[in-house]
Amino acid sequence: MRIAEIHLTPVAIPDKPLLNCKGVHQPYALRTIIEVICDDGTTGLGESYGSIKALEGLRRAAPALRGLDPFHLHELKSRVAAALPEGGGINARTAVADHKLTDVVTSAFEVPCMDIQGKMLGRSVGDLLGGAVRETVPFSAYLFFKFGAHIGQDKDEWGEVLTPDQMVREAKKMVADHGFKSLKVKGGVLHPDLEIETMFKLREAFPHHPLRIDPNGGWTVETAIYVARRLEGVLEYLEDPVAGMDAMAQVAAATSIPLATNMVVLEFDQIAEAFTKRAVKVVLSDHHYWGGMRASTHLGKVCEVLDMGISMHSNSHLGITLAAMVHVASATPNLGYDCDTHYPWVGADVVEGAPFVFRDGALAVPRGPGLGVTLDRIRLAELAALYEVAGVRERDDTLYMKQFDPGYERRVPRW
Ligand code: GKR
Ligand code: MG
């Protein structure tokens, strides 16, 4: 069996005006839906970024994969590397971190290949990753400060969230809707004292929920140490308080709160430095940029050996990505934290039915075969049509923020 055809469909998904230290989410987030079709008709599904560089990389690598055996994942990696010799990073200037094009493209095609393998064998992707060690995967509520509405639109169902009390209200709704058992706040948005107050108010409202805050490197070392000291005993972990490995090491040395990251450890080459400098205690995996689902479970092993924890990162995404995340999480024995997901913010999908309903904050591992999700062609066509009219081709939270506040400048660290 060989790969015969590959279809790449960029889609736009409606998003909410969620705030972070670089600005605000645009009305649409971009993704690419990947279909890999073998000569016997077996089809594998994948989902990756929808930015210009990612899409271009996928388009350039796809022809090189024709004729590939979908079980030959090492060869997949070599063919991608050969098709994209200049490599490079894929992210826009305003992104929080840069990811290697070759890792992103390899991963984007590894997922459909493993979906195909599972379909051929009648086994789930989790089984191919070593077997699920848990039947359900717990997620945390991903809480954002936010504007009440996009420019020119009516207020959304979440309303404005710009104060600690409004954040507690948002958290209550998230928990009531999905049953999450831990809470993550996207910080770096309000003055640090207000974000500290937010965490205290969340602690009061949710005495037993582990709490995290992630300002995406938006604080200075001084601010981060101040915040960490105030929040000792309150946080489960503090994610990327500052930008850069040395700055993380300085903060880590000043607090007993474990520091987590998806910004200073993004690839295997960076783990040794983080370990030596004691900069990070928890690494967030993400199969989209760690080089695939298998690489993500390998990351779990590396973290175990180094006595680091492992958690899981997210960006705005659809159900194919979520299926892959759940399979990876199910087959990462030492995953010790509830995973991140933006899924509750995204009111759309390209998969059939509603396979992902959170119960007590957790998702059941799809049974497969393969990823265990089916493409809904009508939904795909709708989101592909939206991409054509959305007028967004690159994520730029800072540019969009300037429409709300013309004086806004991108500043990292901001506080
Ligand atoms: O969606 O605004 C966002 C997040 O800030 C996202 O872009 C980050 O990649 O969720 C992410 C994180 O944990 O840093
Ligand atoms: Mg993060």
Side-chain angles (χ1 to χ4, degrees):
M1 184 169 72
R2 302 281 159 172
I3 293 175
E5 277 173 58
I6 293 179
H7 298 170
L8 302 170
T9 311
V11 295
I13 49 181
D15 199 0
K16 300 284 190 283
L18 308 179
L19 293 156
N20 56 38
C21 76
K22 300 249 176 101
V24 56
H25 286 205
Q26 293 149 290
Y28 300 99
L30 306 178
R31 303 293 282 172
T32 302
I33 303 305
I34 302 152
E35 294 167 83
V36 172
I37 304 157
C38 290
D39 44 19
D40 70 345
T42 311
T43 300
L45 298 176
E47 175 184 337
S48 187
Y49 306 114
S51 64
I52 293 167
K53 283 187 197 161
L55 196 52
E56 262 175 33
L58 293 166
R59 284 181 172 145
R60 283 174 50 213
L65 304 182
R66 276 194 210 110
L68 178 73
D69 180 331
F71 281 81
H72 288 182
L73 300 177
H74 297 298
E75 192 182 337
L76 162 67
K77 190 172 179 188
S78 332
R79 288 196 191 193
V80 168
L84 305 169
E86 70 291 2
I90 63 151
N91 293 359
R93 194 182 53 83
T94 52
V96 294
D98 208 4
H99 303 128
K100 267 194 195 156
L101 180 65
T102 46
D103 285 339
V104 166
V105 173
T106 302
S107 164
F109 290 116
E110 185 220 47
V111 175
C113 283
M114 292 190 73
D115 191 25
I116 290 167
Q117 293 176 19
K119 285 173 178 161
M120 280 202 65
L121 297 168
R123 306 301 294 250
S124 72
V125 163
D127 281 344
L128 301 176
L129 293 170
V133 296
R134 46 185 76 84
E135 283 174 9
T136 60
V137 170
F139 286 83
S140 60
Y142 205 147
L143 305 173
F144 284 83
F145 292 106
K146 63 181 287 298
F147 292 139
H150 279 297
I151 303 275
Q153 292 184 15
D154 292 338
K155 200 159 94 172
D156 64 38
E157 69 273 27
W158 294 88
E160 185 175 277
V161 181
L162 292 175
T163 66
D165 288 324
Q166 287 171 334
M167 180 58 92
V168 172
R169 193 195 60 201
E170 178 183 291
K172 285 185 174 164
K173 176 168 159 52
M174 269 283 179
V175 170
D177 289 353
H178 306 290
F180 294 117
K181 301 277 185 234
S182 60
L183 310 174
K184 162 169 170 167
V185 171
K186 178 58 46 176
V189 175
L190 306 183
H191 187 282
D193 281 330
L194 282 172
E195 296 195 348
I196 292 168
E197 187 185 332
T198 300
M199 300 317 288
F200 278 118
K201 289 206 158 158
L202 287 171
R203 170 49 70 242
E204 208 179 306
F206 298 92
H208 305 298
H209 282 57
L211 303 178
R212 316 165 185 168
I213 183 165
D214 171 15
N216 283 121
W219 296 334
T220 62
V221 168
E222 198 184 22
T223 302
I225 292 174
Y226 166 74
V227 175
R229 293 210 166 125
R230 299 274 319 271
L231 294 178
E232 289 277 346
V234 174
L235 297 184
E236 159 180 62
Y237 61 61
L238 175 56
E239 187 173 324
D240 288 310
V242 290
M245 191 75 81
D246 291 333
M248 285 286 279
Q250 270 178 275
V251 178
T255 178
S256 67
I257 302 172
L259 299 195
T261 188
N262 61 276
M263 290 177 61
V264 299
V265 182
L266 315 170
E267 40 193 89
F268 285 92
D269 293 355
Q270 295 161 333
I271 299 176
E273 185 187 354
F275 179 75
T276 315
K277 292 184 172 167
R278 298 174 192 267
V280 166
K281 272 309 263 180
V282 181
V283 178
L284 274 69
S285 77
D286 182 327
H287 69 273
H288 300 88
Y289 62 79
W290 275 94
M293 297 189 287
R294 290 174 316 135
S296 298
T297 61
H298 300 163
L299 173 64
K301 183 69 201 166
V302 173
C303 287
E304 185 189 326
V305 171
L306 297 176
D307 195 26
M308 288 174 162
I310 180 146
S311 187
M312 192 180 279
H313 168 259
S314 152
N315 265 315
S316 306
H317 64 87
L318 294 165
I320 300 172
T321 273
L322 189 55
M325 289 167 71
V326 172
H327 283 296
V328 170
S330 78
T332 305
N334 57 323
L335 182 86
Y337 300 93
D338 297 353
C339 302
D340 288 355
T341 179
H342 288 57
Y343 199 64
W345 291 108
V346 176
D349 211 335
V350 291
V351 297
E352 266 181 12
F356 298 110
V357 177
F358 293 93
R359 293 201 202 294
D360 292 332
L363 290 176
V365 181
R367 293 200 176 275
L371 288 172
V373 290
T374 310
L375 194 58
D376 181 324
R377 297 220 156 264
I378 296 174
R379 291 177 176 179
L380 177 68
E382 282 168 4
L383 297 187
L386 208 47
Y387 178 86
E388 295 308 325
V389 297
V392 179
R393 286 292 176 271
E394 204 67 82
R395 176 176 175 177
D396 193 335
D397 296 7
T398 307
L399 190 66
Y400 186 44
M401 186 67 155
K402 284 178 193 280
Q403 289 188 42
F404 290 86
D405 172 7
Y408 184 87
E409 289 301 333
R410 174 176 178 257
R411 257 196 346 261
V412 181
R414 176 165 299 280
W415 304 103

